[in-house]
Amino acid sequence: MKKIGVLTSGGDAPGMNAAIRSVVRKAIYHGLEVYGIKYGYQGLIDGDIEKMELGSVGDIIQRGGTKLYSARCEEFKTEEGQLKGIEQMKKHGIEGLIAIGGDGTFMGAKKITEKGYPCIGVPGTIDNDIPGTDFTIGFDTALNTIIDAIDKIRDTATSHERTFIIEVMGRDAGDLALWAGLADGAESIIIPEADDDFEDIIDRLKRGHDRGKKHSIIIVAEGVGSAVDLGNKIDEAAGLESRVTVLGHTQRGGSPSAADRVLASRLGAYAVDLLLNGHAGRMVGIQQNKLVDHDIVEILNTKHKIDFDMYRLSKELSI
Ligand code: ATP
């Protein structure tokens, strides 16, 4: 293999730039040519492709977002779109591809691999919703952004003796909500993976209130539904006047944490190693601090799970 491509696709995540940098530098270190494909699979179809040099990835390790831009591309879900992408790979002499993104991105990588062009998936999403890795690139940064925001909200919650309901991202996964709730001592954490026991939420609020506690933080994962609706329900049941904050896209941006930069550097380089060693259709990950790789099809057929021990602990600590 002499020439490889790299792209970022799906939602951007802090640390994607560090992963791109790692892929480019590691590949050049091993004598490969690297091509950056802009706007994910859309750029692959359009031929928005340029050669990357060592300097192309200078000064980006600390930046959020993605230097290669990202896009959602419906056309790539079709056979015709995929063949157009393959044509561009042929035209540029690209023999293998590293795709950084979430499970949708991995679907695209699987399709290209099936058409004879080896692909490796690198998990880049703040949601932490990819099986086969303990952490995805961007999760740690997003978590710290959430914690920072909740700490600020807590000042107001305390000063005004209010209950705050905070909606965090995560798509269908509750990881961000669970970790943020545990890290911030939330009274209740509501996630899609666990049945939300409404009575329990109200009981906790009332118990806290009876103990003299006048402010509370409740974290809701976006996958559960609207925090505003939940807030109305809670107000009615507990006789409160709560406030709802939807953190939104602030959670996706910002300079990546040290943990994300290191993770991205390790996973990007490992993806290059796999291509060089003749592997195809794999996704890279980290489990118990060891680099691992899995069959991408197997991963796409596996459901992501949250850590229920952590969920139970969060309940025990917020009695
Ligand atoms: P995030 O979790 O941050 O949303 P993602 O990678 O899951 O990231 P998606 O929008 O689901 O984001 O997918 C990214 C892109 O991958 C899509 O826009 C599309 O181009 C490609 N893709 C998704 N599903 C398929 C599929 N079934 N076949 C081919 N390509 C696909």
Side-chain angles (χ1 to χ4, degrees):
M1 191 167 289
K2 292 270 184 288
K3 293 185 185 180
I4 66 165
V6 57
L7 60 78
T8 50
S9 152
D12 67 309
M16 277 184 163
N17 276 327
I20 297 167
R21 172 182 179 272
S22 172
V23 167
V24 170
R25 297 255 164 111
K26 174 84 172 174
I28 293 175
Y29 177 84
H30 285 289
L32 298 175
E33 280 183 25
V34 195
Y35 288 79
I37 299 154
K38 290 187 182 160
Y39 304 102
Y41 294 116
Q42 188 62 56
L44 187 60
I45 289 177
D46 298 341
D48 200 345
I49 298 170
E50 63 186 32
K51 189 164 178 235
M52 300 187 84
E53 309 292 350
L54 289 175
S56 315
V57 289
D59 198 29
I60 64 168
I61 196 167
Q62 79 283 19
R63 295 192 198 284
T66 160
K67 184 188 168 71
L68 289 175
Y69 304 97
S70 189
R72 313 248 182 212
C73 172
E74 282 304 307
E75 191 183 355
F76 203 74
K77 293 181 182 170
T78 67
E79 177 80 11
E80 204 193 340
Q82 292 153 22
L83 290 174
K84 281 189 195 166
I86 298 275
E87 270 314 303
Q88 291 292 346
M89 287 178 72
K90 276 189 198 155
K91 194 171 141 194
H92 289 83
I94 298 170
E95 298 152 283
L97 182 71
I98 294 176
I100 306 165
D103 52 359
T105 302
F106 288 4
M107 273 306 262
K110 167 186 171 269
K111 295 287 165 65
I112 301 176
T113 303
E114 283 168 358
K115 290 180 168 50
Y117 284 79
C119 276
I120 307 292
V122 176
T125 165
I126 64 165
D127 303 335
N128 210 40
D129 59 349
I130 312 248
T133 187
D134 293 343
F135 299 107
T136 56
I137 296 165
F139 173 70
D140 183 69
T141 307
L143 179 61
N144 280 290
T145 302
I146 293 170
I147 296 309
D148 188 44
I150 298 176
D151 286 350
K152 290 182 172 123
I153 289 169
R154 191 181 271 282
D155 289 345
T156 303
T158 309
S159 304
H160 287 265
E161 301 186 332
R162 277 210 191 281
T163 294
F164 268 81
I165 297 159
I166 300 165
E167 182 183 308
V168 303
M169 281 184 163
R171 294 186 95 179
D172 298 327
D175 290 59
L176 277 174
L178 176 57
W179 283 67
L182 198 51
D184 231 303
E187 271 63 37
S188 290
I189 303 169
I190 306 170
I191 53 174
E193 293 88 345
D195 288 334
D196 115 52
D197 181 352
F198 189 70
E199 291 308 312
D200 180 55
I201 298 168
I202 302 300
D203 282 353
R204 276 164 194 277
L205 283 174
K206 287 186 174 156
R207 275 203 307 270
H209 192 266
D210 292 347
R211 279 203 327 266
K213 186 172 177 178
K214 298 196 179 77
H215 65 268
S216 304
I217 301 282
I218 297 176
I219 313 246
V220 192
E222 66 175 340
V224 169
S226 157
V228 176
D229 293 346
L230 182 77
N232 290 336
K233 243 173 99 181
I234 289 176
D235 286 359
E236 205 172 296
L240 291 173
E241 233 188 87
S242 64
R243 292 285 183 267
V244 174
T245 302
V246 179
L247 293 183
H249 280 84
T250 53
Q251 297 162 91
R252 282 247 292 262
S255 177
S257 65
D260 272 330
R261 298 181 200 192
V262 171
L263 178 64
S265 300
R266 292 176 75 188
L267 293 183
Y270 188 48
V272 174
D273 273 339
L274 290 182
L275 277 183
L276 281 171
N277 289 323
H279 295 284
R282 311 288 294 172
M283 70 82 79
V284 294
I286 190 145
Q287 288 176 315
Q288 292 167 358
N289 203 27
K290 295 261 178 306
L291 292 169
V292 293
D293 57 282
H294 303 279
D295 183 345
I296 225 165
V297 179
E298 220 171 85
I299 292 304
L300 287 168
N301 290 329
T302 307
K303 203 170 155 28
H304 166 71
K305 292 196 191 87
I306 59 138
D307 184 336
F308 272 97
D309 285 339
M310 269 179 64
Y311 182 68
R312 279 186 285 272
L313 177 63
S314 74
K315 283 196 178 286
E316 287 166 8
L317 298 185
S318 61
I319 34 172

